[in-house]
Amino acid sequence: MKYNRTYNFSAGPATMPEPVLEEIRDEMMNYRGSGMCVMEMSHRSKVFQQIIDEAEQDLRDLMGIPDNYKVMFIQGGATLQFAMIPMNLMKNGVACYVETGAWSKKAISEAKKYGDVHIVASSKDRNFSYIPDCSDLDIPENTDYVYICENETIHGVTWPKLPNTKGHILVSDQSSMFLSRPCNVSDYGLIYAGVQKNVGPAGMVVVIMREDLIREDLDPKVPLYMSYKTHADNDSMYNTPNCWAIYCCGKVFKYLKSIGGLEAMNQINMEKAKVMYDFLDSSKLFKGTVDKEFRSLMNVPFVTGDADMDAKVVAATKAAGYDNLKGHKSVGGLRASIYNAMPKEGVEALVEFLKKFEAENT
Ligand SMILES: *Cc1c(COP(=O)(O)O)cnc(C)c1O
């Protein structure tokens, strides 16, 4: 393997496309004749303005983001959005949340600080191994929004179909599936994604928000940084943004365009996930933990059913050059995160290794 890199199955920060890392390396000491690295540049410089403008435009092209949506690059990770969303969107102080795993649970507990939170559906009864039926939810008329986590990174479940919000605004945490497949942005009021899962380096979130939802009348005690209006009015440059993450993400957006956009990416992701799930379905030692129709294409949790054996597999994979396969501590077992940048060969090699492990250990 070039550069002696490992196949990195980390859930985040996660693997990035090699051609992107090579470009970043080549521009490290002197970005396109500017005489400096992007890390060293003023965010108010012309050079950087072009970097951020192109990043936004490429993202708009990739996702087909309509003109009445703002794109914002904000710091504080996806976690800050758990608070920013209720602080900005709760006008009536009421919101509906669907509880599907660890990340929606965190969003729920944060939202409860700001208003009345209705958990309108939950899959807690079977340890978050499926997505509950959301075709006819009991949504109060005065709800400000309906919130989902569209891919639960830890539990490995994803939504095959969006919930019926009965005309209310849909808010979605797309952190671990952002840009993994085409997305009809106008189905949502707000989409956000921490970029260190499927796009770039840690420390930034992309927020895509319908313009009319940006409020002028927030409680004056809301910190300026936490008002979407601040970021929208200043094109993500109210204060110093995460310039480095914007630069790297911009490269990934261009890379995705170059391979054929989100349709092409989705095709590759489906093929990759199939390799993994076909193996799990035929294995006697390993099994997936999620109901088939809700399986994530990005995060694949699996178990042997024996914690000692799970630990043995994790150690063996690491020794063989497949890193970060330990399941999240709240779930146990194993988890292979096979984001956009994980090549199909990486998944195939892992499956070959697990087959061999199974043959030798059963
Ligand atoms: C990782 C993750 C988060 C939290 O992201 P941070 O950037 O660490 O705050 C939130 N939601 C989902 C779905 C995630 O995978």
Side-chain angles (χ1 to χ4, degrees):
M1 220 188 303
K2 209 171 159 190
Y3 307 117
N4 201 22
R5 282 159 57 81
T6 180
Y7 283 125
N8 176 9
F9 294 89
S10 169
T15 191
M16 286 178 61
E18 256 177 33
V20 166
L21 294 178
E22 286 173 328
E23 260 186 49
I24 292 169
R25 174 200 59 199
D26 292 345
E27 293 174 348
M28 183 67 75
M29 301 311 289
N30 185 347
Y31 175 79
R32 302 191 183 175
S34 65
M36 55 187 93
C37 173
V38 175
M39 275 187 248
E40 304 169 302
M41 253 173 216
S42 163
H43 59 296
R44 306 285 175 204
S45 65
K46 250 190 172 158
V47 195
F48 186 75
Q49 189 63 50
Q50 192 181 348
I51 291 174
I52 189 170
D53 289 347
E54 271 184 40
E56 174 172 342
Q57 191 55 53
D58 286 330
L59 180 62
R60 285 184 175 276
D61 296 346
L62 268 179
M63 294 182 77
I65 300 174
D67 288 344
N68 63 324
Y69 282 74
K70 280 277 180 191
V71 172
M72 294 171 267
F73 302 113
I74 303 177
Q75 299 179 62
T79 298
L80 188 68
Q81 297 305 307
F82 297 162
M84 242 173 118
I85 287 163
M87 281 174 122
N88 283 264
L89 295 184
M90 276 186 176
K91 277 189 190 173
N92 302 324
V94 182
C96 295
Y97 279 68
V98 182
E99 186 188 47
T100 50
W103 291 111
S104 48
K105 274 171 69 177
K106 284 200 164 167
I108 289 165
S109 52
E110 192 77 345
K112 280 180 174 167
K113 296 180 187 169
Y114 302 99
D116 193 4
V117 169
H118 296 253
I119 298 175
V120 285
S122 172
S123 53
K124 197 176 174 179
D125 60 336
R126 282 201 288 120
N127 194 27
F128 305 116
S129 57
Y130 67 103
I131 297 289
D133 178 7
C134 291
S135 57
D136 186 17
L137 299 171
D138 189 8
I139 300 174
E141 225 7 84
N142 65 342
T143 196
D144 290 306
Y145 58 90
V146 177
Y147 179 104
I148 63 169
C149 174
E150 211 164 328
N151 185 80
E152 287 278 5
T153 321
I154 291 174
H155 290 87
V157 286
T158 200
W159 291 69
K161 186 166 158 265
L162 295 177
N164 176 2
T165 64
K166 302 186 173 170
H168 295 283
I169 291 157
L170 180 63
V171 173
S172 175
D173 177 358
Q174 289 196 349
S175 296
S176 49
M177 44 92 59
F178 193 54
L179 305 179
S180 67
R181 63 176 192 219
C183 168
N184 187 20
V185 174
S186 50
D187 289 341
Y188 304 79
L190 187 154
I191 294 168
Y192 74 97
V195 299
Q196 79 276 22
K197 305 292 162 65
N198 210 13
V199 190
M204 190 172 81
V205 66
V206 176
V207 175
I208 301 167
M209 183 178 191
R210 221 175 67 201
E211 240 161 25
D212 61 292
L213 300 175
I214 296 169
R215 299 254 304 273
E216 310 268 346
D217 60 338
L218 281 191
D219 181 335
K221 282 191 179 154
V222 170
L224 259 184
Y225 194 85
M226 293 185 70
S227 159
Y228 290 118
K229 190 171 164 13
T230 305
H231 300 279
D233 287 354
N234 294 283
D235 297 318
S236 304
M237 295 255 239
Y238 174 71
N239 68 335
T240 319
N242 187 335
C243 303
W244 183 250
I246 291 167
Y247 163 70
C248 297
C249 290
K251 292 227 176 278
V252 173
F253 302 155
K254 277 199 200 304
Y255 174 75
L256 289 172
K257 282 172 87 174
S258 80
I259 63 163
L262 301 188
E263 286 287 353
M265 195 65 249
N266 186 37
Q267 202 56 45
I268 297 168
N269 285 331
M270 286 194 297
E271 285 167 22
K272 258 168 21 189
K274 188 174 186 311
V275 173
M276 199 65 212
Y277 286 120
D278 281 353
F279 164 66
L280 293 176
D281 289 342
S282 66
S283 168
K284 290 203 164 53
L285 180 61
F286 301 102
K287 70 176 195 343
T289 56
V290 173
D291 291 4
K292 277 189 185 167
E293 54 178 315
F294 308 109
R295 285 168 161 179
S296 168
L297 297 190
M298 300 280 103
N299 310 100
V300 184
F302 57 104
V303 295
T304 63
D306 168 359
D308 292 339
M309 182 59 99
D310 288 345
K312 193 174 164 189
V313 186
V314 171
T317 50
K318 189 169 170 65
Y322 308 97
D323 213 348
N324 291 312
L325 282 154
K326 192 169 188 289
H328 189 271
K329 56 185 187 299
S330 65
V331 179
L334 294 98
R335 172 178 50 167
S337 293
I338 51 174
Y339 294 123
N340 284 354
M342 171 58 64
K344 190 175 177 202
E345 304 84 77
V347 181
E348 285 167 345
L350 173 66
V351 163
E352 280 317 304
F353 181 83
L354 293 174
K355 277 185 183 161
K356 200 166 130 262
F357 182 94
E358 178 169 346
E360 288 165 0
N361 289 275
T362 48

